[in-house]
């Protein structure tokens, strides 16, 4: 099965949206493989967002991500990377579709509630930044036979 890295950002944690986000992915039928509430150290924020290091918004982004605890997760399922990207919505919540997490809960591109990996390669890279292999729980879930053909 495919895996993706998802993170409720500090604004989402402060606003009490962790349960809502987890519920949406559970309701979709995805399987939770790992989760942790954590104040991210600077090195891992830089590693996570290394493609944006030179962008003008990077200092603000780093301060935002380190402003409070994040809720880090790994979700599993067929085509999970693309499915979760659609479920979180466009980067700018002002343009994100209603029904998406950012479309339903955000207003500002600098406070967009949630992160999710944008490709299978990014997912593998980001999971490895934040989780040890032993933290990824391998188990079968009883609804699998009715979720997949
Ligand atoms: P993504 O999170 O939808 O993949 P990216 O373009 O990879 O979007 O940007 C990473 C994160 O950087 C965004 O989720 C957002 O928190 C922040 N960000 C991106 N563009 C801006 C901006 O123009 N102003 C402020 N923050 C931004
Ligand atoms: Mg991105």
């Amino acid at each position: 099965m495919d895996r993706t890295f998802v993170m409720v950002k500090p604004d989402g944690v402060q606003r009490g949206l962790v349960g809502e986000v987890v519920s949406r992915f559970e309701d979709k039928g995805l399987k939770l493989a790992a989760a942790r509430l954590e104040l991210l150290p600077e090195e891992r924020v830089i590693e996570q967002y290394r493609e944006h290091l030179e962008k003008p918004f990077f200092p603000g982004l780093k301060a935002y991500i380190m402003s409070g605890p994040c809720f880090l997760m790994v979700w599993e399922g067929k085509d999970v990377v693309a499915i979760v990207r659609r479920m979180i919505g466009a980067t700018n919540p002002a343009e994100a579709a209603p029904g998406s997490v950012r479309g339903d809960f955000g207003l500002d591109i600098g406070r967009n509630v949630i992160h999710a990996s944008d490709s299978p390669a990014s997912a593998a890279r980001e999971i490895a930044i934040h989780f040890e292999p032993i933290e990824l729980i391998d188990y079968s879930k009883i609804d699998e036979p009715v979720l997949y053909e």
Side-chain angles (χ1 to χ4, degrees):
M1 273 299 169
D2 307 316
R3 284 173 168 166
T4 194
F5 174 69
V6 184
M7 179 173 97
V8 180
K9 295 176 176 180
D11 53 333
V13 172
Q14 290 294 333
R15 292 173 58 205
L17 295 174
V18 168
E20 171 71 33
V21 165
V22 170
S23 269
R24 285 181 178 219
F25 296 141
E26 285 185 328
D27 290 350
K28 182 72 172 165
L30 299 174
K31 184 163 102 179
L32 188 62
R36 185 193 320 122
L37 184 73
E38 188 178 12
L39 280 164
L40 289 186
E42 185 174 22
E43 313 82 71
R44 270 161 56 214
V45 177
I46 290 170
E47 194 52 31
Q48 166 75 36
Y49 288 112
R50 68 174 184 193
E51 67 178 303
H52 300 303
L53 272 181
E54 306 304 324
K55 306 267 173 70
F57 62 79
F58 184 78
L61 172 62
K62 193 177 82 173
Y64 159 46
I65 298 301
M66 295 183 67
S67 67
C70 293
F71 191 70
L72 291 68
M73 295 159 277
V74 176
W75 287 91
E76 211 171 281
K78 189 176 167 212
D79 297 326
V80 68
V81 177
I83 288 169
V84 167
R85 278 297 280 200
R86 281 196 290 278
M87 289 178 74
I88 74 166
T91 304
N92 186 349
E95 289 158 15
S100 67
V101 174
R102 287 162 169 172
D104 287 350
F105 299 110
L107 290 167
D108 190 313
I109 192 166
R111 296 289 182 272
N112 63 358
V113 183
I114 191 164
H115 166 87
S117 308
D118 64 5
S119 68
S122 300
R125 191 184 81 83
E126 293 172 0
I127 289 168
I129 291 170
H130 299 289
F131 290 95
E132 298 292 335
I134 198 172
E135 294 179 280
L136 304 173
I137 310 297
D138 197 10
Y139 63 106
S140 43
K141 209 156 155 286
I142 57 166
D143 56 9
E144 272 159 20
V146 292
L147 284 169
Y148 294 102
E149 183 179 6

